[in-house]
Amino acid sequence: QVQLVESGGGLVQAGGSLRLSCAVSGLIFSVNTLDWYRQAPGKQRELVATITSGGSTNYADSVKGRFTISRDNVKNTVYLQMNSLKPEDTASYCCHWKRRLDGVNYWGKGTLVTVSS
């Protein structure tokens, strides 16, 4: 059974940093692409960052230069380092994996990040 469990959210002042973690189980972690999404209250879910099995990364324009996605293939964990946080980064952040075999999406429950001004 695939499980994605996020942690590391919290309340931080603008300009501060947080590191989110997503512990993954139930799949062959090292060969899969994983993503971080976020959803702010009243807004649509947004793709924040992606990391491939080879370590290539992509970011939303809104977080480029401030956020870094990384992975640890020994710990089966993907991270999102968030620096220079802004109030508009306030959202629930979720880990995501899409199974290539049939396109089924798997989501974690999310971790809440609140950035105060």
Side-chain angles (χ1 to χ4, degrees), residues 37 53 57 77 115-116:
Y37 279 76
S53 59
T57 58
T77 300
V115 184
S116 63

Side-chain angles (χ1 to χ4, degrees), residues 96-111:
H96 167 260
W97 173 62
K98 184 174 185 176
R99 189 164 61 191
R100 284 175 286 183
L101 177 69
D102 53 11
V104 172
N105 292 292
Y106 291 85
W107 300 90
K109 291 184 178 180
T111 185

